[in-house]
Amino acid sequence: MAGFLLRRLGSLAFVLWAMTVLVFAIVHLLPGSVAHMILGEYATNEAIATLEAKLGLNDPLPVQYWRWFSGLLGGDFGQSLTMERPAGPVILEALGRSAVLAGVSIVLVAVIGVSLGIHSAVHKGSATDRALTLGQYFFIAVPEFFWCILVILFFAVWLGWLPATGYTPIADGGVTGWAKHLVLPVSTLVLGLIAHVSRLTRSSMLEAIESRYVLAARAKGLPERLVLRRHALPNALLPTITVLAVDIGILIGGIVVVESVFAYPGLGRMLVYAIDNQDLPLMMGGMIVITAVYALANLAADILYAVLNPRIRVGGTAA
Amino acid sequence: MADAPPLLDVRGLSLGYATARGTVRALDGVTLAIRRGAAMGLVGESGSGKSSVVLALLGLLGKEAALAADRLDFAGEDLRVAAPRLRGLRIGTVFQDPAAALNPALRIGLQVAEPLVQHRGLSARAAHGRAVELLAEMGIPRAAAVAQAYPHQLSGGMKQRAVIATALACEPELLLLDEPTTALDVTVEAQILDLLERLRAERGVSMLLVSHNLGIVDRLCDGLTVLYAGRVVESGATEALLAAPRHPYTRGLLAALPRADRGRIGRLAPIPGSLPDLTRPDPGCNFRPRCPFAAAGCEAPQALHPLDARHVACHRAEMLHDAAWPAPDAAAADRVPLGGTLLEVADLARGFRLGRGLFRRQAEVRAVDGVSFSLRRGEVLGLVGESGCGKSTLGRLVLRLIAADRGSIRFDGSPVPAMPPDGFRRRAQIVFQNPDTSLNPRQTVDVALRRPLERFGLAHGAAATREVERLLDLVRLTPAYRPRYPHQMSGGEKQRIGIARALASRPDFLVCDEAVSALDVSVQAAVLNLLEDLRDTLGVAYLFISHDIGVVSHIADRIAVMYRGAIVEEGPAAAVLAPPYHPYTGALLSAVPVVGARGRAAARTRLKGDVSSAPTEGGCRFAHRCPAERGTVCRTQAPPVQQAGPGHAIACHIPVAELARAPAALAVAE
């Protein structure tokens, strides 16, 4: 297990490093001068040259890359070009708010998705199973920006129950005010993912229920509840865990859309802002952080998978 | 005793499954009874409904199954009501393939202890203690450690012992055994049969043994019920019934069975036709369309009636007492004499890395480790050995389908390079074990057979169509099969297509990798006859790989016995099947369950462990399991290859003269 962890951490480090190269390359291959962007349309050539020299934009690319990369290693994301602040704290604050959004979402997806999937599998062919199946296909098919608009119209504009956009820190608006701003973004984020996860849980649970070892457990005379909980569920959950990790990637993509629509000040919205304003340090830092989150989620899923699967966790032969 | 009510009393058990095609009548009036302490064998081919009987007894049929019975009693209780309470407690069950029947996510000890916690109310700790005892009683060494293990850490035989321990945990009166040894190697199967025999003698537990293998049933059961397409056709005492079967189907089954103890007995007699459509049950005898004795009166319902101390569901059974089962159709041609050397393989080797480096340390297993043999034109070399001995790998190496680590292959006088030319591919082909996975489900028969013709430039267009029809005729199928997809054919038909595909390029050499193993006995006989005919008419040579000694002894001219990557004995079939043996060959042969060989069990050579247990470095690779092991010589020095007769080689330290004194494991009729 220790060797496995070391190897996985090694490949994680490599992925993150490769991503820094990629992000840096993409950003610097984009047309347009950063100094020009900052100083505006009517800047003099001298002013631009002075700023370029100050920002080190005249240095060779490897030097620039190394300056940025060594800064990253020390936790320094550079100075935001538009905010007069270091990029690091900006990214961190946005990450914190996005993490709340994503964390609440993924927990809801896991709990509701898995429960619905199990229910469908156990009551295969029943009216609820058929209704759920229909709903699942519907929610998988409809994109989230459509839900964004629909729920804003319905709950915020028409019913006026919830705020359409924005964010209130707990310190200002209390828990209720804070939570109210989360309801709509979270629900639009999770609808499709719950459908996806419950669909998958249903099929893996069905496979487990129809397996020989579940038949053998029933032949032992165990009550059905125990058969499902002890014999079917642990095996059925393995594929679900892998998919949850993939869903975290989908969730991050969804956050960019949802945060923009709901004007939620998270990482996704920050990234859009950084791109709009050519704030390179913010943009690169945001992308690296998102990559890291995704890679760590996958690592966590792999470890969880190994812990739950004795065929990976325990090697060798006993007799 | 005879008056005591039977422990299990099933009368008129019928079962229907609602499907899209209509109701499938899986069981139709099945009647069987088991006395306390008795063992009943339930025999039938696939589709006979034998496994459905087990599920019906356990009350574990799905919701879509409609069950009806005049009586379904266990110890006086109606199983339709009491099954959920009795299963696991008074009825233990062992399913086929222990690898699938054990939960991969749970420790062995927990799985064995579960029924004790559930039915006997034992604490988890007490149940675990009892589970360890049970595992030890099943002959599992280091039972406490095994109880802590997960299923994937155990060998197949150990897994099945754990499953049996679970079934026996609450000391049931009846043990339901559904193909308990089908997934196991023959030497491991023999160990499990010994265990079951001992359990029956020591605990007096009754058994219902469901199997397609008559030899196993004959060893273990005093009673036998033969099932055909959901109906009981014959039932009675095993010995009498197998010695003189009275129902035409039972007679056909025995006539179609290749038997290791009889060696080559000319041609087998396949049962023509296939299983009837169970959605439209025949009110009369449902074996009638396949029965060579069918006559007027067969269309009337056939009731089981007593005859010769048994029950038979055939109104002509008495009349047919002296009528012989029709002799199989004559061979298509006289056998062509063996030609010159076609294939020469020298020192072929291939290793595989295990573990894929995720959690386990990389280990290499030498699947094939320096194998040499040669094959003449029109000759059949049988290759036998247990799973994991490398026989399938060898088959693929010989065809250069997988790369060899070392060794050379000469085909028809010229060396075959690692990337063989088209000419070799055309002349050397393979028939795989499972036609379900080796035929492309999206290709029609026509496309599958046309492809090699076009690939090798043998025929195109209308000529190819004619050639496809000729190939179909060769495997006894009509041109009507051309537009069919694999799912529209039976297993036997699919395997014929697999053979036709291999023959399309008119090869001189075929590797048959378990080519008949997935088939039922009645169909297997037809395919074996077909392979013999092709050998005789076309002069094709076969490398015939099989775990079934009966099949190999029927078709092979020479037999090679493989153990852990090496050939330990090779020679003419009759010589290999009789002493002197390599000790492994002797053990293998004595483990083969043979019909009508009662009392043979006591004289058996038993091997400990299985192929994977305790590797030996340097010495004889069989030393760790060898019943005749001679100490350090065997464990440290590679055994010399001794000549035991003309063309008969044995790799063993023990002198041939001494090996010749071994008892004959099979009574081979020359």
Side-chain angles (χ1 to χ4, degrees):
Chain A
M1 191 78 192
F4 163 76
L5 270 181
L6 266 168
R7 269 195 302 280
R8 285 312 310 258
L9 285 173
S11 66
L12 181 79
F14 175 78
V15 165
L16 288 180
W17 170 77
M19 199 58 201
T20 63
V21 175
L22 219 63
V23 164
F24 186 83
I26 290 169
V27 164
H28 285 84
L29 287 176
L30 288 177
S33 152
V34 178
H36 203 138
M37 261 320 272
I38 295 169
L39 295 174
E41 250 178 279
Y42 305 106
T44 60
N45 285 344
E46 293 84 62
I48 289 175
T50 318
L51 187 64
E52 278 183 342
K54 190 185 142 209
L55 292 176
L57 294 175
N58 295 325
D59 296 336
L61 281 183
V63 174
Q64 289 191 47
Y65 170 74
W66 178 249
R67 193 160 51 221
W68 176 63
F69 182 70
S70 53
L72 275 187
L73 289 183
D76 176 13
F77 286 79
Q79 189 78 14
S80 162
L81 297 181
T82 57
M83 292 193 190
E84 309 284 324
R85 289 177 64 190
V90 176
I91 295 172
L92 216 61
E93 282 166 25
L95 175 68
R97 288 190 286 266
S98 282
V100 170
L101 202 59
V104 172
S105 298
I106 203 75
V107 168
L108 286 178
V109 167
V111 172
I112 301 177
V114 168
S115 317
L116 288 181
I118 293 171
H119 182 88
S120 284
V122 173
H123 302 95
K124 184 191 167 196
S126 68
T128 46
D129 175 36
R130 284 198 299 260
L132 281 170
T133 301
L134 194 70
Q136 283 154 357
Y137 283 127
F138 182 68
F139 284 108
I140 288 172
V142 179
E144 53 216 350
F145 63 80
F146 178 78
W147 293 124
C148 294
I149 296 162
L150 211 65
V151 295
I152 288 178
L153 279 177
F154 191 75
F155 290 102
V157 179
W158 194 49
L159 290 174
W161 288 355
L162 295 162
T165 57
Y167 171 79
T168 313
I170 295 183
D172 296 352
V175 176
T176 346
W178 170 79
K180 268 188 170 175
H181 280 98
L182 280 178
V183 175
L184 291 185
V186 164
S187 35
T188 43
L189 270 177
V190 299
L191 283 176
L193 291 179
I194 287 177
H196 183 214
V197 167
S198 59
R199 204 68 222 139
L200 184 99
T201 308
R202 178 183 186 271
S203 67
S204 57
M205 187 70 182
L206 273 180
E207 195 182 310
I209 286 175
E210 279 155 19
S211 71
R212 192 75 57 81
Y213 56 79
V214 162
L215 182 66
R218 287 181 178 147
K220 285 181 195 174
L222 301 181
E224 190 63 15
R225 218 167 11 85
L226 192 61
V227 170
L228 292 177
R229 201 182 65 221
R230 187 186 281 166
H231 287 268
L233 195 57
N235 292 293
L237 281 184
L238 289 178
T240 307
I241 287 164
T242 316
V243 160
L244 276 176
V246 176
D247 279 351
I248 287 178
I250 300 175
L251 199 63
I252 290 169
I255 275 178
V256 176
V257 175
V258 168
E259 286 184 351
S260 299
V261 175
F262 289 100
Y264 184 93
L267 205 54
R269 189 148 171 265
M270 186 209 79
L271 211 56
V272 174
Y273 167 85
I275 293 168
D276 279 348
N277 296 288
Q278 288 263 337
D279 193 335
L280 295 194
L282 211 55
M283 196 195 312
M284 296 197 296
M287 290 209 269
I288 292 300
V289 166
I290 284 181
T291 314
V293 168
Y294 189 44
L296 284 171
N298 268 300
L299 176 69
D302 279 359
I303 292 172
L304 198 59
Y305 189 91
V307 166
L308 290 181
N309 188 349
R311 273 164 292 187
I312 296 183
R313 175 166 35 100
V314 192
T317 54
Chain B
M1 185 67 194
D3 297 324
L7 179 67
L8 182 72
D9 194 358
V10 177
R11 290 185 206 173
L13 174 64
S14 294
L15 178 65
Y17 288 102
T19 69
R21 291 189 303 119
T23 303
V24 173
R25 203 139 172 87
L27 294 176
D28 193 0
V30 169
T31 293
L32 61 93
I34 303 178
R35 285 180 294 104
R36 268 181 199 280
M40 166 72 81
L42 187 60
V43 168
E45 296 184 290
S46 50
S48 63
K50 53 194 192 299
S51 289
S52 296
V53 172
V54 171
L55 294 180
L57 294 177
L58 290 168
L60 287 175
L61 292 160
K63 275 179 262 168
E64 31 327 306
L67 181 108
D70 300 330
R71 185 174 281 189
L72 195 63
D73 284 359
F74 172 81
E77 290 192 76
D78 189 342
L79 280 172
R80 278 165 290 193
V81 181
R85 186 164 44 80
L86 296 177
R87 60 182 186 234
L89 176 63
R90 294 175 68 186
I91 303 177
T93 315
V94 175
F95 289 106
Q96 183 180 355
D97 191 4
L102 287 169
N103 191 327
L106 299 177
R107 291 181 195 278
I108 296 287
L110 172 71
Q111 301 196 49
V112 177
E114 265 182 327
L116 292 165
V117 176
Q118 181 63 34
H119 301 293
R120 294 252 186 264
L122 261 59
S123 70
R125 178 186 295 245
H128 186 268
R130 178 70 190 120
V132 174
E133 283 171 31
L134 277 163
L135 289 170
E137 284 166 36
M138 297 308 127
I140 292 182
R142 302 192 299 120
V146 167
Q148 292 297 328
Y150 286 95
H152 71 274
Q153 296 173 283
L154 302 186
S155 66
M158 286 300 146
K159 280 192 219 138
Q160 194 62 307
R161 284 170 198 268
V163 170
I164 295 171
T166 314
L168 290 172
C170 295
E171 293 172 18
E173 291 132 272
L174 177 66
L175 206 51
L176 303 178
L177 305 156
D178 188 358
E179 301 271 10
T181 59
T182 304
L184 305 174
D185 274 321
V186 64
T187 58
V188 179
E189 171 181 88
Q191 296 167 6
I192 296 293
L193 292 178
D194 284 346
L195 171 66
L196 291 173
E197 221 164 38
R198 202 191 80 209
L199 292 171
R200 214 191 129 196
E202 287 174 4
R203 301 180 181 220
V205 57
S206 311
M207 292 179 182
L208 177 66
L209 173 67
V210 172
S211 182
H212 70 284
N213 187 326
L214 288 167
I216 291 173
V217 171
D218 189 29
R219 230 200 98 179
L220 217 55
C221 301
D222 30 37
L224 175 59
T225 298
V226 182
L227 214 53
Y228 177 75
R231 294 180 191 167
V232 174
V233 293
E234 187 164 4
S235 75
T238 309
E239 211 167 342
L241 204 154
L242 289 177
R246 302 304 297 272
H247 192 282
Y249 175 65
T250 323
R251 296 169 68 169
L253 264 188
L254 283 164
L257 190 68
R259 296 176 59 164
D261 58 330
R262 304 234 173 116
R264 299 178 84 146
I265 46 157
R267 285 165 80 79
L268 300 168
I271 305 175
S274 56
L275 217 60
D277 182 358
L278 293 175
T279 55
R280 277 172 292 151
D282 193 327
C285 172
N286 59 5
F287 184 59
R288 179 170 39 127
R290 304 176 71 183
C291 182
F293 306 118
C298 290
E299 68 284 349
Q302 305 291 318
L304 277 173
H305 62 271
L307 176 74
D308 287 353
R310 80 191 71 180
H311 288 81
V312 187
C314 176
H315 69 111
R316 304 195 68 207
E318 194 160 15
M319 220 181 308
L320 294 170
H321 192 267
D322 298 317
W325 184 264
D329 50 337
D334 284 340
R335 185 153 186 201
V336 274
L338 297 186
T341 304
L342 178 67
L343 179 77
E344 268 184 289
V345 169
D347 196 30
L348 212 52
R350 169 68 195 242
F352 290 106
R353 290 233 169 87
L354 289 181
R356 280 166 233 98
L358 193 59
F359 282 98
R360 295 171 202 130
R361 237 171 272 119
Q362 289 245 321
E364 205 199 39
V365 55
R366 276 168 289 176
V368 172
D369 194 10
V371 167
S372 307
F373 67 88
S374 67
L375 191 64
R376 296 165 67 185
R377 286 175 188 280
E379 190 179 34
V380 180
L381 174 64
L383 187 61
V384 298
E386 296 175 285
S387 58
C389 73
K391 54 188 192 302
S392 282
T393 306
L394 179 58
R396 276 146 215 225
L397 282 175
V398 165
L399 292 179
R400 295 284 197 204
L401 290 177
I402 54 175
D405 294 340
R406 62 164 206 270
S408 67
I409 301 168
R410 289 182 76 82
F411 185 77
D412 205 9
S414 42
V416 181
M419 292 298 288
D422 269 11
F424 176 73
R425 283 271 173 269
R426 185 187 73 70
R427 295 180 62 190
Q429 283 287 329
I430 184 164
V431 179
F432 289 101
Q433 166 170 16
N434 192 340
D436 291 320
T437 52
S438 57
L439 291 181
N440 187 333
R442 296 181 177 278
Q443 277 184 358
T444 59
V445 166
D446 188 64
V447 173
L449 296 185
R450 200 176 278 270
R451 173 81 185 128
L453 298 172
E454 289 171 353
R455 168 72 180 73
F456 293 115
L458 299 169
H460 295 276
T465 307
R466 279 196 303 278
E467 185 64 13
V468 166
E469 286 176 3
R470 187 189 70 88
L471 287 166
L472 286 173
D473 183 55
L474 212 54
V475 294
R476 315 268 184 275
L477 293 173
T478 62
Y481 279 82
R482 271 181 48 213
R484 294 206 189 173
Y485 284 95
H487 71 268
Q488 295 170 306
M489 295 182 284
S490 71
E493 288 166 344
K494 275 184 273 195
Q495 194 59 299
R496 283 164 203 241
I497 297 299
I499 294 170
R501 191 211 55 77
L503 290 172
S505 59
R506 301 183 181 236
D508 303 308
F509 170 54
L510 270 190
V511 172
C512 296
D513 188 0
E514 302 276 7
V516 296
S517 305
L519 306 176
D520 275 317
V521 168
S522 62
V523 180
Q524 172 183 284
V527 174
L528 282 175
N529 285 350
L530 171 69
L531 287 171
E532 284 181 354
D533 286 347
L534 295 171
R535 174 197 64 197
D536 297 346
T537 50
L538 307 176
V540 182
Y542 299 129
L543 177 63
F544 196 94
I545 301 168
S546 181
H547 70 283
D548 188 330
I549 316 264
V551 168
V552 169
S553 63
H554 174 76
I555 196 168
D557 300 306
R558 285 191 299 136
I559 295 179
V561 182
M562 213 167 158
Y563 188 78
R564 292 180 71 159
I567 291 175
V568 295
E569 178 169 1
E570 196 215 326
V576 172
L577 295 175
Y581 298 125
H582 186 280
Y584 177 62
T585 314
L588 204 58
L589 294 178
S590 76
V592 176
V594 170
V595 173
R598 300 224 145 191
R600 196 169 70 104
R604 277 167 192 207
T605 320
R606 281 291 174 263
L607 294 183
K608 286 193 277 293
D610 61 28
V611 183
S612 63
S613 51
T616 328
E617 284 303 320
C620 172
R621 54 197 81 222
F622 183 58
H624 66 116
R625 292 176 78 195
C626 185
E629 193 238 338
R630 294 292 163 92
T632 24
V633 190
C634 291
R635 293 196 176 268
T636 54
Q637 287 174 37
V641 176
Q642 308 181 74
Q643 290 302 317
H648 184 193
I650 299 175
C652 185
H653 286 291
I654 303 169
V656 173
E658 209 168 314
L659 290 174
R661 286 201 290 274
L666 300 164
V668 178
E670 292 279 326

